Amino acid sequence: MLDDQALMQALNSTPVVDGRRQDLWRADQELDRWAREHGGLGGDAERRWLRTARDALQAVASATAAETRLAELLAGVHKVPQPSASGIEWHLEAPTERRLAAELVLAWADVEERMPGRLRPCENPECRLFLLDRSRANTARWCSMKTCGNRLKARRHQARTRETSGLE
């Protein structure tokens, strides 16, 4: 099964660079490489399902309705219990081309269950990245303090400075 890191890689595969949205999964070979690194096979059908899963999860994590797309992704997918020496293990049964996309959706569901409200989009409106807030206070606002946080704080400071100098 996919972990938090794989989920964040998928969610953050459409960053904004120099003001323009990029799609790191646009090139088939890049997405096939990611899929193989995470137990997939690559190929047209798997890529289509992975892109669909990523887009749906981005919409859900951004509070945009995407339940229909998730339902389509999970149609015919089952988690089946199998006894083992250590207890019960759950195995995913899904069409081969959809297995990795289904694992991506399950990784998101696991994060939402374990850490409700901690997976969210960066508060920088120009950024398309997501963050998984692991802080105790659950107050993280930006994907990166170094980039988005500093930019927004600098903009607010400049705006306050302009307001103050305009009043005098």
Side-chain angles (χ1 to χ4, degrees), residues 27-56:
D28 291 346
Q29 64 272 19
E30 284 301 312
L31 183 49
D32 283 346
R33 182 187 55 74
W34 186 92
R36 283 191 294 277
E37 285 175 3
H38 294 90
L41 302 173
D44 291 337
E46 186 174 60
R47 285 192 299 267
R48 186 173 57 255
W49 285 108
L50 281 169
R51 288 176 179 130
T52 299
R54 183 236 1 229
D55 295 346

PDB file of all heavy atoms in Angstrom, residues 27-56:
ATOM      1  N   ALA A  27       4.425  14.049 -18.646  1.00  0.00           N
ATOM      2  CA  ALA A  27       5.235  13.144 -19.471  1.00  0.00           C
ATOM      3  C   ALA A  27       4.969  11.700 -19.034  1.00  0.00           C
ATOM      4  O   ALA A  27       5.124  11.363 -17.863  1.00  0.00           O
ATOM      5  CB  ALA A  27       6.714  13.481 -19.325  1.00  0.00           C
ATOM      6  N   ASP A  28       4.566  10.885 -19.989  1.00  0.00           N
ATOM      7  CA  ASP A  28       4.230   9.493 -19.681  1.00  0.00           C
ATOM      8  C   ASP A  28       5.380   8.756 -19.005  1.00  0.00           C
ATOM      9  O   ASP A  28       5.166   8.000 -18.055  1.00  0.00           O
ATOM     10  CB  ASP A  28       3.821   8.745 -20.954  1.00  0.00           C
ATOM     11  CG  ASP A  28       2.493   9.215 -21.516  1.00  0.00           C
ATOM     12  OD1 ASP A  28       1.750   9.932 -20.807  1.00  0.00           O
ATOM     13  OD2 ASP A  28       2.192   8.856 -22.665  1.00  0.00           O
ATOM     14  N   GLN A  29       6.610   9.000 -19.454  1.00  0.00           N
ATOM     15  CA  GLN A  29       7.750   8.283 -18.881  1.00  0.00           C
ATOM     16  C   GLN A  29       7.971   8.660 -17.411  1.00  0.00           C
ATOM     17  O   GLN A  29       8.372   7.816 -16.615  1.00  0.00           O
ATOM     18  CB  GLN A  29       9.025   8.458 -19.709  1.00  0.00           C
ATOM     19  CG  GLN A  29       9.565   9.881 -19.794  1.00  0.00           C
ATOM     20  CD  GLN A  29       8.976  10.682 -20.933  1.00  0.00           C
ATOM     21  OE1 GLN A  29       7.928  10.345 -21.475  1.00  0.00           O
ATOM     22  NE2 GLN A  29       9.639  11.776 -21.298  1.00  0.00           N
ATOM     23  N   GLU A  30       7.693   9.919 -17.037  1.00  0.00           N
ATOM     24  CA  GLU A  30       7.840  10.327 -15.636  1.00  0.00           C
ATOM     25  C   GLU A  30       6.804   9.644 -14.749  1.00  0.00           C
ATOM     26  O   GLU A  30       7.106   9.178 -13.662  1.00  0.00           O
ATOM     27  CB  GLU A  30       7.729  11.846 -15.494  1.00  0.00           C
ATOM     28  CG  GLU A  30       8.957  12.586 -15.944  1.00  0.00           C
ATOM     29  CD  GLU A  30      10.196  12.175 -15.174  1.00  0.00           C
ATOM     30  OE1 GLU A  30      10.156  12.121 -13.919  1.00  0.00           O
ATOM     31  OE2 GLU A  30      11.218  11.895 -15.830  1.00  0.00           O
ATOM     32  N   LEU A  31       5.570   9.595 -15.234  1.00  0.00           N
ATOM     33  CA  LEU A  31       4.522   8.945 -14.455  1.00  0.00           C
ATOM     34  C   LEU A  31       4.762   7.437 -14.387  1.00  0.00           C
ATOM     35  O   LEU A  31       4.570   6.826 -13.326  1.00  0.00           O
ATOM     36  CB  LEU A  31       3.142   9.245 -15.032  1.00  0.00           C
ATOM     37  CG  LEU A  31       1.951   8.684 -14.250  1.00  0.00           C
ATOM     38  CD1 LEU A  31       2.034   8.993 -12.763  1.00  0.00           C
ATOM     39  CD2 LEU A  31       0.656   9.220 -14.829  1.00  0.00           C
ATOM     40  N   ASP A  32       5.231   6.830 -15.470  1.00  0.00           N
ATOM     41  CA  ASP A  32       5.557   5.401 -15.437  1.00  0.00           C
ATOM     42  C   ASP A  32       6.673   5.125 -14.438  1.00  0.00           C
ATOM     43  O   ASP A  32       6.638   4.123 -13.716  1.00  0.00           O
ATOM     44  CB  ASP A  32       5.972   4.906 -16.824  1.00  0.00           C
ATOM     45  CG  ASP A  32       4.794   4.700 -17.753  1.00  0.00           C
ATOM     46  OD1 ASP A  32       3.636   4.675 -17.277  1.00  0.00           O
ATOM     47  OD2 ASP A  32       5.029   4.553 -18.981  1.00  0.00           O
ATOM     48  N   ARG A  33       7.666   6.016 -14.375  1.00  0.00           N
ATOM     49  CA  ARG A  33       8.757   5.854 -13.409  1.00  0.00           C
ATOM     50  C   ARG A  33       8.210   5.896 -11.989  1.00  0.00           C
ATOM     51  O   ARG A  33       8.526   5.048 -11.162  1.00  0.00           O
ATOM     52  CB  ARG A  33       9.821   6.961 -13.601  1.00  0.00           C
ATOM     53  CG  ARG A  33      11.019   6.824 -12.650  1.00  0.00           C
ATOM     54  CD  ARG A  33      11.968   8.023 -12.754  1.00  0.00           C
ATOM     55  NE  ARG A  33      11.322   9.309 -12.535  1.00  0.00           N
ATOM     56  CZ  ARG A  33      10.930   9.770 -11.348  1.00  0.00           C
ATOM     57  NH1 ARG A  33      11.091   9.065 -10.262  1.00  0.00           N
ATOM     58  NH2 ARG A  33      10.360  10.959 -11.251  1.00  0.00           N
ATOM     59  N   TRP A  34       7.335   6.889 -11.701  1.00  0.00           N
ATOM     60  CA  TRP A  34       6.728   6.997 -10.372  1.00  0.00           C
ATOM     61  C   TRP A  34       5.919   5.738 -10.069  1.00  0.00           C
ATOM     62  O   TRP A  34       6.005   5.191  -8.975  1.00  0.00           O
ATOM     63  CB  TRP A  34       5.847   8.244 -10.295  1.00  0.00           C
ATOM     64  CG  TRP A  34       5.304   8.500  -8.925  1.00  0.00           C
ATOM     65  CD1 TRP A  34       5.873   9.280  -7.947  1.00  0.00           C
ATOM     66  CD2 TRP A  34       4.093   7.974  -8.354  1.00  0.00           C
ATOM     67  NE1 TRP A  34       5.095   9.260  -6.822  1.00  0.00           N
ATOM     68  CE2 TRP A  34       4.000   8.467  -7.038  1.00  0.00           C
ATOM     69  CE3 TRP A  34       3.092   7.137  -8.819  1.00  0.00           C
ATOM     70  CZ2 TRP A  34       2.948   8.150  -6.191  1.00  0.00           C
ATOM     71  CZ3 TRP A  34       2.033   6.818  -7.979  1.00  0.00           C
ATOM     72  CH2 TRP A  34       1.970   7.324  -6.678  1.00  0.00           C
ATOM     73  N   ALA A  35       5.144   5.294 -11.037  1.00  0.00           N
ATOM     74  CA  ALA A  35       4.300   4.109 -10.832  1.00  0.00           C
ATOM     75  C   ALA A  35       5.159   2.883 -10.525  1.00  0.00           C
ATOM     76  O   ALA A  35       4.859   2.131  -9.577  1.00  0.00           O
ATOM     77  CB  ALA A  35       3.439   3.860 -12.073  1.00  0.00           C
ATOM     78  N   ARG A  36       6.223   2.671 -11.282  1.00  0.00           N
ATOM     79  CA  ARG A  36       7.084   1.502 -11.030  1.00  0.00           C
ATOM     80  C   ARG A  36       7.764   1.591  -9.667  1.00  0.00           C
ATOM     81  O   ARG A  36       7.923   0.587  -8.990  1.00  0.00           O
ATOM     82  CB  ARG A  36       8.105   1.351 -12.158  1.00  0.00           C
ATOM     83  CG  ARG A  36       7.484   0.758 -13.428  1.00  0.00           C
ATOM     84  CD  ARG A  36       8.542   0.354 -14.448  1.00  0.00           C
ATOM     85  NE  ARG A  36       9.270   1.498 -14.989  1.00  0.00           N
ATOM     86  CZ  ARG A  36       8.838   2.258 -15.982  1.00  0.00           C
ATOM     87  NH1 ARG A  36       7.690   2.004 -16.561  1.00  0.00           N
ATOM     88  NH2 ARG A  36       9.559   3.268 -16.404  1.00  0.00           N
ATOM     89  N   GLU A  37       8.157   2.799  -9.260  1.00  0.00           N
ATOM     90  CA  GLU A  37       8.770   2.973  -7.935  1.00  0.00           C
ATOM     91  C   GLU A  37       7.808   2.594  -6.815  1.00  0.00           C
ATOM     92  O   GLU A  37       8.221   2.282  -5.709  1.00  0.00           O
ATOM     93  CB  GLU A  37       9.208   4.428  -7.728  1.00  0.00           C
ATOM     94  CG  GLU A  37      10.451   4.809  -8.490  1.00  0.00           C
ATOM     95  CD  GLU A  37      10.780   6.288  -8.345  1.00  0.00           C
ATOM     96  OE1 GLU A  37      10.068   7.016  -7.596  1.00  0.00           O
ATOM     97  OE2 GLU A  37      11.743   6.738  -8.983  1.00  0.00           O
ATOM     98  N   HIS A  38       6.503   2.647  -7.113  1.00  0.00           N
ATOM     99  CA  HIS A  38       5.493   2.365  -6.099  1.00  0.00           C
ATOM    100  C   HIS A  38       4.723   1.079  -6.379  1.00  0.00           C
ATOM    101  O   HIS A  38       3.596   0.907  -5.911  1.00  0.00           O
ATOM    102  CB  HIS A  38       4.542   3.573  -5.976  1.00  0.00           C
ATOM    103  CG  HIS A  38       5.249   4.775  -5.446  1.00  0.00           C
ATOM    104  ND1 HIS A  38       5.864   5.691  -6.261  1.00  0.00           N
ATOM    105  CD2 HIS A  38       5.473   5.187  -4.179  1.00  0.00           C
ATOM    106  CE1 HIS A  38       6.433   6.622  -5.519  1.00  0.00           C
ATOM    107  NE2 HIS A  38       6.211   6.350  -4.255  1.00  0.00           N
ATOM    108  N   GLY A  39       5.326   0.186  -7.147  1.00  0.00           N
ATOM    109  CA  GLY A  39       4.734  -1.130  -7.365  1.00  0.00           C
ATOM    110  C   GLY A  39       3.804  -1.240  -8.546  1.00  0.00           C
ATOM    111  O   GLY A  39       3.161  -2.271  -8.727  1.00  0.00           O
ATOM    112  N   GLY A  40       3.723  -0.219  -9.364  1.00  0.00           N
ATOM    113  CA  GLY A  40       2.863  -0.263 -10.545  1.00  0.00           C
ATOM    114  C   GLY A  40       3.600  -0.828 -11.744  1.00  0.00           C
ATOM    115  O   GLY A  40       4.796  -1.127 -11.677  1.00  0.00           O
ATOM    116  N   LEU A  41       2.898  -0.925 -12.840  1.00  0.00           N
ATOM    117  CA  LEU A  41       3.474  -1.486 -14.062  1.00  0.00           C
ATOM    118  C   LEU A  41       3.711  -0.435 -15.133  1.00  0.00           C
ATOM    119  O   LEU A  41       4.459  -0.651 -16.068  1.00  0.00           O
ATOM    120  CB  LEU A  41       2.538  -2.569 -14.622  1.00  0.00           C
ATOM    121  CG  LEU A  41       2.223  -3.725 -13.677  1.00  0.00           C
ATOM    122  CD1 LEU A  41       1.160  -4.628 -14.288  1.00  0.00           C
ATOM    123  CD2 LEU A  41       3.482  -4.508 -13.356  1.00  0.00           C
ATOM    124  N   GLY A  42       3.043   0.702 -15.025  1.00  0.00           N
ATOM    125  CA  GLY A  42       3.094   1.710 -16.076  1.00  0.00           C
ATOM    126  C   GLY A  42       2.073   1.360 -17.149  1.00  0.00           C
ATOM    127  O   GLY A  42       1.312   0.413 -17.014  1.00  0.00           O
ATOM    128  N   GLY A  43       2.040   2.125 -18.188  1.00  0.00           N
ATOM    129  CA  GLY A  43       1.116   1.862 -19.282  1.00  0.00           C
ATOM    130  C   GLY A  43      -0.013   2.868 -19.324  1.00  0.00           C
ATOM    131  O   GLY A  43      -0.287   3.575 -18.353  1.00  0.00           O
ATOM    132  N   ASP A  44      -0.661   2.920 -20.489  1.00  0.00           N
ATOM    133  CA  ASP A  44      -1.699   3.922 -20.743  1.00  0.00           C
ATOM    134  C   ASP A  44      -2.834   3.898 -19.729  1.00  0.00           C
ATOM    135  O   ASP A  44      -3.216   4.933 -19.188  1.00  0.00           O
ATOM    136  CB  ASP A  44      -2.285   3.745 -22.149  1.00  0.00           C
ATOM    137  CG  ASP A  44      -1.300   4.107 -23.246  1.00  0.00           C
ATOM    138  OD1 ASP A  44      -0.362   4.875 -22.966  1.00  0.00           O
ATOM    139  OD2 ASP A  44      -1.476   3.623 -24.381  1.00  0.00           O
ATOM    140  N   ALA A  45      -3.394   2.719 -19.489  1.00  0.00           N
ATOM    141  CA  ALA A  45      -4.555   2.628 -18.591  1.00  0.00           C
ATOM    142  C   ALA A  45      -4.174   3.019 -17.171  1.00  0.00           C
ATOM    143  O   ALA A  45      -4.901   3.781 -16.509  1.00  0.00           O
ATOM    144  CB  ALA A  45      -5.138   1.215 -18.616  1.00  0.00           C
ATOM    145  N   GLU A  46      -3.029   2.545 -16.675  1.00  0.00           N
ATOM    146  CA  GLU A  46      -2.618   2.888 -15.313  1.00  0.00           C
ATOM    147  C   GLU A  46      -2.368   4.386 -15.190  1.00  0.00           C
ATOM    148  O   GLU A  46      -2.783   5.016 -14.219  1.00  0.00           O
ATOM    149  CB  GLU A  46      -1.371   2.105 -14.907  1.00  0.00           C
ATOM    150  CG  GLU A  46      -0.985   2.326 -13.448  1.00  0.00           C
ATOM    151  CD  GLU A  46       0.163   1.439 -13.016  1.00  0.00           C
ATOM    152  OE1 GLU A  46       1.259   1.547 -13.615  1.00  0.00           O
ATOM    153  OE2 GLU A  46      -0.034   0.642 -12.087  1.00  0.00           O
ATOM    154  N   ARG A  47      -1.713   4.974 -16.189  1.00  0.00           N
ATOM    155  CA  ARG A  47      -1.473   6.430 -16.160  1.00  0.00           C
ATOM    156  C   ARG A  47      -2.785   7.189 -16.121  1.00  0.00           C
ATOM    157  O   ARG A  47      -2.930   8.157 -15.370  1.00  0.00           O
ATOM    158  CB  ARG A  47      -0.649   6.857 -17.384  1.00  0.00           C
ATOM    159  CG  ARG A  47       0.809   6.495 -17.311  1.00  0.00           C
ATOM    160  CD  ARG A  47       1.616   7.187 -18.404  1.00  0.00           C
ATOM    161  NE  ARG A  47       1.186   6.835 -19.742  1.00  0.00           N
ATOM    162  CZ  ARG A  47       1.699   5.849 -20.467  1.00  0.00           C
ATOM    163  NH1 ARG A  47       2.668   5.107 -19.976  1.00  0.00           N
ATOM    164  NH2 ARG A  47       1.249   5.615 -21.682  1.00  0.00           N
ATOM    165  N   ARG A  48      -3.748   6.784 -16.943  1.00  0.00           N
ATOM    166  CA  ARG A  48      -5.046   7.474 -16.969  1.00  0.00           C
ATOM    167  C   ARG A  48      -5.703   7.415 -15.592  1.00  0.00           C
ATOM    168  O   ARG A  48      -6.200   8.425 -15.094  1.00  0.00           O
ATOM    169  CB  ARG A  48      -5.944   6.843 -18.039  1.00  0.00           C
ATOM    170  CG  ARG A  48      -7.243   7.581 -18.240  1.00  0.00           C
ATOM    171  CD  ARG A  48      -8.068   7.052 -19.413  1.00  0.00           C
ATOM    172  NE  ARG A  48      -8.382   5.634 -19.310  1.00  0.00           N
ATOM    173  CZ  ARG A  48      -7.801   4.657 -20.026  1.00  0.00           C
ATOM    174  NH1 ARG A  48      -6.862   4.941 -20.913  1.00  0.00           N
ATOM    175  NH2 ARG A  48      -8.145   3.394 -19.854  1.00  0.00           N
ATOM    176  N   TRP A  49      -5.702   6.259 -14.955  1.00  0.00           N
ATOM    177  CA  TRP A  49      -6.320   6.128 -13.633  1.00  0.00           C
ATOM    178  C   TRP A  49      -5.550   6.914 -12.566  1.00  0.00           C
ATOM    179  O   TRP A  49      -6.158   7.519 -11.683  1.00  0.00           O
ATOM    180  CB  TRP A  49      -6.450   4.658 -13.241  1.00  0.00           C
ATOM    181  CG  TRP A  49      -7.557   3.974 -13.966  1.00  0.00           C
ATOM    182  CD1 TRP A  49      -7.445   3.044 -14.957  1.00  0.00           C
ATOM    183  CD2 TRP A  49      -8.960   4.199 -13.796  1.00  0.00           C
ATOM    184  NE1 TRP A  49      -8.690   2.676 -15.405  1.00  0.00           N
ATOM    185  CE2 TRP A  49      -9.637   3.356 -14.721  1.00  0.00           C
ATOM    186  CE3 TRP A  49      -9.708   5.018 -12.962  1.00  0.00           C
ATOM    187  CZ2 TRP A  49     -11.027   3.311 -14.808  1.00  0.00           C
ATOM    188  CZ3 TRP A  49     -11.101   4.968 -13.061  1.00  0.00           C
ATOM    189  CH2 TRP A  49     -11.739   4.137 -13.960  1.00  0.00           C
ATOM    190  N   LEU A  50      -4.219   6.913 -12.655  1.00  0.00           N
ATOM    191  CA  LEU A  50      -3.435   7.673 -11.675  1.00  0.00           C
ATOM    192  C   LEU A  50      -3.691   9.168 -11.796  1.00  0.00           C
ATOM    193  O   LEU A  50      -3.859   9.866 -10.791  1.00  0.00           O
ATOM    194  CB  LEU A  50      -1.938   7.381 -11.827  1.00  0.00           C
ATOM    195  CG  LEU A  50      -1.467   6.070 -11.223  1.00  0.00           C
ATOM    196  CD1 LEU A  50      -0.043   5.752 -11.666  1.00  0.00           C
ATOM    197  CD2 LEU A  50      -1.564   6.116  -9.707  1.00  0.00           C
ATOM    198  N   ARG A  51      -3.737   9.677 -13.009  1.00  0.00           N
ATOM    199  CA  ARG A  51      -4.030  11.109 -13.198  1.00  0.00           C
ATOM    200  C   ARG A  51      -5.434  11.447 -12.714  1.00  0.00           C
ATOM    201  O   ARG A  51      -5.659  12.488 -12.098  1.00  0.00           O
ATOM    202  CB  ARG A  51      -3.845  11.495 -14.661  1.00  0.00           C
ATOM    203  CG  ARG A  51      -2.381  11.527 -15.082  1.00  0.00           C
ATOM    204  CD  ARG A  51      -2.212  11.817 -16.562  1.00  0.00           C
ATOM    205  NE  ARG A  51      -0.806  11.870 -16.933  1.00  0.00           N
ATOM    206  CZ  ARG A  51      -0.295  11.202 -17.957  1.00  0.00           C
ATOM    207  NH1 ARG A  51      -1.063  10.459 -18.748  1.00  0.00           N
ATOM    208  NH2 ARG A  51       0.995  11.301 -18.235  1.00  0.00           N
ATOM    209  N   THR A  52      -6.386  10.564 -12.979  1.00  0.00           N
ATOM    210  CA  THR A  52      -7.757  10.772 -12.520  1.00  0.00           C
ATOM    211  C   THR A  52      -7.805  10.784 -10.996  1.00  0.00           C
ATOM    212  O   THR A  52      -8.456  11.644 -10.390  1.00  0.00           O
ATOM    213  CB  THR A  52      -8.689   9.675 -13.079  1.00  0.00           C
ATOM    214  OG1 THR A  52      -8.659   9.749 -14.504  1.00  0.00           O
ATOM    215  CG2 THR A  52     -10.109   9.848 -12.581  1.00  0.00           C
ATOM    216  N   ALA A  53      -7.099   9.837 -10.368  1.00  0.00           N
ATOM    217  CA  ALA A  53      -7.068   9.766  -8.899  1.00  0.00           C
ATOM    218  C   ALA A  53      -6.425  11.023  -8.322  1.00  0.00           C
ATOM    219  O   ALA A  53      -6.953  11.626  -7.385  1.00  0.00           O
ATOM    220  CB  ALA A  53      -6.303   8.526  -8.439  1.00  0.00           C
ATOM    221  N   ARG A  54      -5.301  11.446  -8.891  1.00  0.00           N
ATOM    222  CA  ARG A  54      -4.614  12.646  -8.402  1.00  0.00           C
ATOM    223  C   ARG A  54      -5.528  13.860  -8.499  1.00  0.00           C
ATOM    224  O   ARG A  54      -5.683  14.615  -7.540  1.00  0.00           O
ATOM    225  CB  ARG A  54      -3.346  12.874  -9.225  1.00  0.00           C
ATOM    226  CG  ARG A  54      -2.509  14.048  -8.753  1.00  0.00           C
ATOM    227  CD  ARG A  54      -2.160  15.139  -9.721  1.00  0.00           C
ATOM    228  NE  ARG A  54      -2.595  15.120 -11.064  1.00  0.00           N
ATOM    229  CZ  ARG A  54      -1.787  15.322 -12.106  1.00  0.00           C
ATOM    230  NH1 ARG A  54      -0.487  15.468 -11.929  1.00  0.00           N
ATOM    231  NH2 ARG A  54      -2.284  15.367 -13.321  1.00  0.00           N
ATOM    232  N   ASP A  55      -6.168  14.046  -9.654  1.00  0.00           N
ATOM    233  CA  ASP A  55      -7.035  15.205  -9.848  1.00  0.00           C
ATOM    234  C   ASP A  55      -8.224  15.176  -8.883  1.00  0.00           C
ATOM    235  O   ASP A  55      -8.607  16.208  -8.324  1.00  0.00           O
ATOM    236  CB  ASP A  55      -7.524  15.274 -11.294  1.00  0.00           C
ATOM    237  CG  ASP A  55      -6.391  15.510 -12.286  1.00  0.00           C
ATOM    238  OD1 ASP A  55      -5.277  15.878 -11.859  1.00  0.00           O
ATOM    239  OD2 ASP A  55      -6.621  15.311 -13.498  1.00  0.00           O
ATOM    240  N   ALA A  56      -8.802  14.003  -8.690  1.00  0.00           N
ATOM    241  CA  ALA A  56      -9.940  13.881  -7.768  1.00  0.00           C
ATOM    242  C   ALA A  56      -9.512  14.159  -6.339  1.00  0.00           C
ATOM    243  O   ALA A  56     -10.218  14.855  -5.595  1.00  0.00           O
ATOM    244  CB  ALA A  56     -10.559  12.495  -7.880  1.00  0.00           C
TER     245      ALA A  56
END
